[in-house]
Structures are given as C-alpha cells and as structure tokens.
Amino acid sequence: MDQPSQTLTRRSFKLQSARTDDLDNVEDLFTFRPLEPPSSFRVIKPLPNTALPDDAGPQRTLRFSIEELSLDSPSLSYRTISYAWGTGEKTHAIHLDGLGCRGVLRTTENAWSALRVITGDHPEDYLWMDQICINQENFEERSQQVSLMAQIFARSEECVIWLGPEDKWTKDAFHLINILQKNLPDLVHKDAQHERTRLSLKFRQDLIRRFGEGTLQPNHPGWEAMKHVLARSWFTRLWTFQESVISANLILRCGDLRTAWESFALTAMLLGYGDYNDGKAAAYVIEDHRQMRAEGRRVSLLHLLNDVRVNFACTDPRDRIFALLDVQPDFKSHPILQANYSQTDAELFIKVAKYLIADSFSVLQYVFTYDGEGEVEGLPSFVPDWTDTSGPWLINYDLHFWSSQGRKHTVAQNDSERELTVSGKLVAKVTGVIYKKPEKFDYGSSPSERIDEFRNVLMPSILEALGSCERSVIEEIRVSIVRTVCCDRSYVMRALREEEDEEEEKKEEKEEAQRADTIHRECNEEQDSQSIGEDVVGPHIPCEYRKAINLMLDQLMDEEYVHFNLDEYANTSHQPSRLDKWLRGFVPALTTMWGRYIVSLDRYSFAMCPHTTLPGDGVYILHGSTVPIVLRPTEGGKYTLVGPCFVDGIMYGESVDWEKDEADTFCIV
C-alpha cells in the first residue's frame, strides 16, 4: 500500500537511541500525551518483526510505532479496525514507541488477536484502533475523539471487521458465502441495491430457480454455521454498528478467513425466519442503514434509536446516544446532541426526550417496554429508557394511523425538566382485562405456538367477554380482532387478495419499500393517512377484505388444519395455499401482542394496551400523537404515561369531534 503523503500533519517523536530489539525489555507503561485539537488523531504502524506465529501467546509482545495525524490533511492512508472489546479485562500487552514516549500498553485479548492477524496482512500500513489510539482514561479526550469517529472511519481506505479466531463453524459458513458470491455476483456487488423485498418469498424462489434448491435448504451445513458466526459478540455492540455504517469499504475477517461485507450480509439475510434479536437481524439493520446512507436518505434519531435498541448493546448508557450521532450528519447541529460524558445518564435521556418531543410526538410510542429492565433510574414516565431492550413492536409500524387528525403538539414554555404538558381528550376508560398472556407471542415462540394461542385462547376469550351476538355481529368482531392483534398491518391485508396481478404486485412491492423507508423520516405525523393506507387499510376496509378475513379464520379454526412452517415455502419452489400465504404475514405480525394485554373499555368494546394497564386507566387522544395513549391519573391532578394502544374505531381520527381550542390539558410526570 502507498505510504501517507509528505503533506500529512504528523507528530512522531521517535526515540533515536532506542533499538526495536530492546523494546521487549521496556516495562514502563506507555504515557499518552495530549493531542493537538481539534482534528488530530493517533495511528499505529507495525515495527519490524511484529508478525508472530499462530501459536504466539500473550507473552510475545506486538510492537508498534505510534504517530499523530490530522484530518485536515487532504491525503490520508490508513485502515481502521472494528471489533468487540470482549470482557474488558486487559490481559495482553503491546509495546508503543513514539510521540515522545515508549512503553507497554495493556489490551484485551480480542484486540491483541486482531492486531496479530491484521498486521500480518498489512505490515507496512497505518492502523487505527480505539483501544490503542484513544486515551480511554481521559474523559475529555474520549469525548473529543468520539466527535471525530465519523471522519476517522469514513476517510479510512478500508475498515476491517474482526470477528475473532476461527472455530469449527467458520469454514462451512465462509464456503457458503463463496458459493453465493460466485452464483450471484450482481447481487453482492458493492453497488447493488439491497431492497427490503430481497427477503420476500418471491425473491428466495427466484434464487432457487437460478441454481437449485440444495444450497438454500435449511439442512445445508453452511446455514447452521452462519448462525454460529452471527452469534459472535461483534454483532451485539453498538459502536460496531456505527463504525460499519459509516465506513465505505468493509472487509470481514474471522481468523485467516476473509470476505467482503456485501457477500456476508446477503448470506445472513437469506437465513430462514428466526428470532429478531440475533445476529441476522443485526446484519440486516447494518446493511439497511448502509444503503440509506449511501443513497443520501435521511434517518431520524428517534427511529435510529429504536432500530438499534434490541440488537445492540453498550457498556455506558450514554453511548446509546453518543454512538449514533455520526450516522446522520446533522445530528450534532443541536447543542444537546454533543458527546459530553460529564452529564449523568438520566440528565442526557431527559434532554434527548425533550428534544425529540419538540419535533415529533412519536417518542411516546417508545416509552413502553415489556420487562422494564432498563439501567437508568429516576426517569419521568414520558422519557424512554433506551437501555431497556425489551421494547415490543411499534403499533404505528406502517405509519398510517392518524388518531388526532394531524393536530399538533404545542410545547409548553413553563414546563419543568421533569414535566410534559399535553392537550387532548379522554375517549374511553379501561374496565377490565380480557387476555393477559403476552409471552405466548414473544419473538422466540414458533409459528405453530402463536397460531394455537390465537385460535384456541385469545380469540375465544374476546368473543366470550363480549357476550352472545348474531352471526353478522360476530363476523364484524372477528374482523376487529384481526385488525387489533396485527395493528392493521397493510401487508397482512394485501395478502387477502384472491388473485394477484403481477404488474400490480410489483407496483405494490415498490410502494411497500417506499412506505417502509418513511419509517426513518422525522416528521411522520405530517404524512397523509389516506395515501399511506390507500384502500387496503383505513377506517373502512373494503367488504371483500372483511369477507376474506372471516373465510381465513373459518379455515384456521378447523381442527384438521395442519400447521405450516414459515421456512417450508421460503426454501423451496412449492407454492403455498391462500391461507398459508396470508399466515406468512399474519403470524409474524402477531408478535405485536408480545408485552400487551387485551382489555375491555367502557366504549369501543376492547383494545390492545401495554401489559401494565390497569382498570381505571384512561385511553386518550393527544394532539400530536398518531396513536391513542394510555394515561393513569395520579395525586395532584397529574398523570403518568402507561404507553400507546390500539383501539379499532379511533385509529384514523374517528373519535375527534372537538375543536382544537376545546381540548383539555394534562400534565405528565
């Protein structure tokens, strides 16, 4: 590789009297000297004889020169390393020589292993690794260097993703990746469009027709191996998410094996349906955001926070915010959105919530979680704890609800930091709980388990609670049940079509991808509900869809119905029945029930609400919110926020019969 240009701004005070052969005898700890702000950063370069044999242990010390570069330089040449720290225990050591000092720097085992392998490939190249190049003990420098991370990764020639050493699974996994890469060169090219529809049944069956069913069969050893590779800790870390999204060129390393990120990501996406909280989902989220960044599509901080909430973790709760600030260039334009480790976790989360609420009331959808195992204490009820990874699916996933008819939230200037004043109306009160087994629909439940619970317990419980009715009324209730438990998902409704027109299907797939992309737009309240829902979802779905829902339910309730397998049709060229096709959308959508109860109301019959909902709580339409919100009265005339809910009959603004200035005012604490 070409060496950095002579125009580099660089400080490298190498000790001329030191011989590299003597570095193994140096026992003093390396002392970091302050960087020259604001654009300086350190890099390291292997010294002669740094490469070690494969069986080298921690007693064999890696040796590097350390230098200082500037992002102000027009020409830079270096590689970045993205990796997981591991346990955090620094059991290994490297020797550093430069910047006026030489000595030992302790590292984690995974960092040491990455350097050992990568320096063997690039003995003449400059490298950047956060654990080595940032003084982790200096909070001021740490904050300053975090603010440069985007530029450091974006300007690197290549980012090497280090997954760790090889094991018994890696060869099968990388062999499968190579097969796909050879057979699908147009799909794994770095400029290929990774559309959301690539995971569809139609896409997978197109692949099967191209090179047979064998490779895509679940029993191919490469798929099981991929699951183990995806279980590695790199796919769980929030900082690695940012690093991989920002970097232009990604190479993935596992021991001596290597592949391009695009090939790996495609293989991960083609895995069968599984838990959302796994490495496959992490790879999907990373690739999704890489494409949006490459195409210049904007993503809001709110939806970015939600996208990484389940799959990625970090040690410092404040990094839930700081690790995302470089994903979107304009995030740092607001004073609140600056990496400042001097504030507490709660102070930061409250400030960010207030910032988000001022721009989009949708933040209230993210407050509700299932387990309530967040790490940050003392938050007001309207502030999401982003460290709690148990957040269920959003109710307004399709962005077509319009419960407040587009009325805007007005920020109260006299609110204290821990209060939120809102306007709206109480539309119903909770009178009891009908169904409370949300764990039956969690991400780990199988399709058969969800179907059994829905047809044998959930639906009969609601029908029994509502009492005996005529057949026509029961049919309307059953339609309402389906719409409620899947939150009126448009893809569930579209699957009810009896016949499909190929051109119409392609058009709707494109519209669905565009609609999904709007999830990442900031001002989702400003969208037109009719253009989103069209004639498939909305206050009044067509009669043929209502008939189709009851037909599907009649077949589903038949005791002779044989459970289908989501992967069965995704991995073969066999065509599913109409019912199975509908269930391919409906069964995954049932996970919306996870963490939620079905409750009875004094109006509108029933609703799907957070599992913490109690009799006496109220369902409110709040100005600025696209979905109804459950509030609980407290002493002093104030309220705590319980969470968003789905009530069939008010999701599209049907209950709003008051003028804006007639709304009541509520103070949420």
Side-chain angles (χ1 to χ4, degrees), residues 139-140 142-144 146 239 316 318-319 322-323 338-344:
F139 283 170
E140 183 178 353
R142 183 174 154 195
S143 297
Q144 190 269 340
V146 164
W239 281 108
D316 190 327
R318 293 168 293 188
D319 285 338
F322 298 152
Q338 304 294 327
N340 176 10
Y341 288 95
S342 64
Q343 58 192 322
T344 67

Side-chain angles (χ1 to χ4, degrees), residues 26-39:
V26 176
E27 296 182 356
D28 293 337
L29 293 178
F30 183 81
T31 301
F32 285 97
R33 297 198 175 187
L35 287 160
E36 290 184 351
S39 60

Side-chain angles (χ1 to χ4, degrees), residues 32 42 128 130-136 141-142 145:
F32 285 97
R42 303 182 187 95
W128 184 94
D130 62 349
Q131 195 174 143
I132 311 299
C133 299
I134 299 176
N135 184 358
Q136 299 293 330
E141 177 179 308
R142 183 174 154 195
Q145 287 290 288

Side-chain angles (χ1 to χ4, degrees), residues 330-342:
D330 63 347
F331 283 168
K332 292 182 179 179
S333 62
H334 196 284
I336 288 177
L337 302 180
Q338 304 294 327
N340 176 10
Y341 288 95
S342 64

Side-chain angles (χ1 to χ4, degrees), residues 286-335:
I286 290 170
E287 179 61 13
D288 197 25
H289 281 274
R290 280 179 60 80
Q291 287 299 312
M292 286 191 288
R293 184 179 176 87
E295 295 166 11
R297 286 181 285 164
R298 194 179 187 284
V299 55
S300 73
L301 177 60
L302 177 60
H303 288 106
L304 183 58
L305 282 164
N306 186 65
D307 280 353
V308 302
R309 187 174 191 173
V310 174
N311 300 87
F312 302 94
C314 53
T315 303
D316 190 327
R318 293 168 293 188
D319 285 338
R320 281 282 170 188
I321 309 298
F322 298 152
L324 302 177
L325 296 183
D326 287 315
V327 174
Q328 189 70 36
D330 63 347
F331 283 168
K332 292 182 179 179
S333 62
H334 196 284

